[in-house]
Amino acid sequence: MKHDYPLAFQELANLLKTLPGIGKRSAERMVFSMLKWPPEKLALLGTSVSELHERVTLCPECGNLSSDGAPCGICMNNSRDKTLICVVEDASQIYNIENSGLFKGVYHVIGGKLSPLEGKGIKDIHIQSLVKRIDANAVKEVILAFSSDVEGQATSIYIGEELKRKNVSVTRLAHGLPAGSDISYADSATIAAALHGRRPL
Ligand SMILES: [Zn+2]
């Protein structure tokens, strides 16, 4: 006969299981491990989780992750070129591009891709704030760093059209990235090649 875990154990394991890369068995092992933690460590995990939204905020300028409502380190850095904006789908991609160490401009998190099937339309992406930044900072180039799947391409085309009237060059990453792949998973050398070989939209 199957022996179930206690209810609280199961509840925690079910939550952990929803994290990327965590299967049922891993989640259960994590709970077994946590049961051996001292109460202070468990309390610390509890507060870290419950205060996550309060302490990790979005940069009011670019939408990158930041702390306590302040602009992010990239926007605060005066040596970054504010006239060069790399548009990414999600903040997680910024970290990967930064690891390549080659990009000296700033970012703009657009917050998703256009996807009619998932009900994601123009109102769901942050394009107005991008247009405002282009005007405010006399931006010269906008690099679109979307994945090369259908939604990524559609989003690139839409943004390209929207920026047509602006005096700004719109480029996209070279196709060093495998079709349908996400920049989040590309290595530094691939990102460097994609940035270096970028071309007009
Ligand atoms: Zn920022």
Side-chain angles (χ1 to χ4, degrees):
M1 200 185 112
K2 189 169 161 280
H3 185 66
D4 288 329
Y5 292 112
L7 183 62
F9 184 111
Q10 265 183 34
E11 283 173 356
L12 181 54
N14 285 341
L15 277 173
L16 294 169
K17 211 171 65 180
T18 61
L19 291 168
I22 306 296
K24 185 171 180 285
R25 189 73 195 107
S26 303
E28 289 164 2
R29 283 172 58 200
M30 286 164 109
V31 181
F32 271 117
S33 177
M34 284 179 196
L35 282 169
K36 296 192 186 108
W37 286 11
E40 315 80 67
K41 193 174 168 185
L42 284 170
L44 192 63
L45 176 69
T47 14
S48 299
V49 173
S50 64
E51 291 176 355
L52 193 62
H53 278 308
E54 219 172 290
R55 296 176 58 197
V56 180
T57 51
L58 299 183
C59 171
E61 186 73 12
C62 73
N64 186 14
L65 301 185
S66 190
S67 295
D68 307 312
C72 74
I74 298 168
C75 289
M76 296 264 266
N77 184 343
N78 285 331
S79 65
R80 305 289 297 228
D81 183 358
K82 301 268 192 318
T83 69
L84 176 62
I85 297 183
C86 179
V87 181
V88 292
E89 198 186 316
D90 193 87
S92 65
Q93 285 130 12
I94 293 178
Y95 293 82
N96 211 22
I97 298 175
E98 284 296 291
N99 283 337
S100 78
L102 275 161
F103 184 66
K104 302 294 174 221
V106 292
Y107 296 91
H108 188 85
V109 179
I110 205 90
K113 289 181 287 191
L114 298 177
S115 174
L117 287 178
E118 288 169 33
K120 245 186 184 293
I122 290 141
K123 62 181 190 325
D124 300 306
I125 63 171
H126 307 141
I127 187 151
Q128 289 317 316
S129 48
L130 175 64
V131 172
K132 271 192 200 137
R133 287 180 78 192
I134 291 172
D135 292 337
N137 296 300
V139 171
K140 294 192 188 92
E141 182 181 351
V142 170
I143 306 172
L144 304 177
F146 297 114
S147 47
S148 51
D149 54 14
V150 178
E151 291 87 4
Q153 285 175 17
T155 313
S156 293
I157 291 166
Y158 174 74
I159 296 175
E161 284 295 318
E162 283 295 299
L163 301 183
K164 231 174 198 168
R165 296 178 302 275
K166 301 276 164 198
N167 189 22
V168 60
S169 98
V170 182
T171 57
R172 62 175 166 79
L173 294 182
H175 279 303
L177 301 169
S181 83
D182 193 306
I183 197 158
S184 307
Y185 305 105
D187 59 51
S188 292
T190 310
I191 291 174
L195 267 173
H196 186 72
R198 64 185 188 266
R199 57 194 69 164
L201 187 71

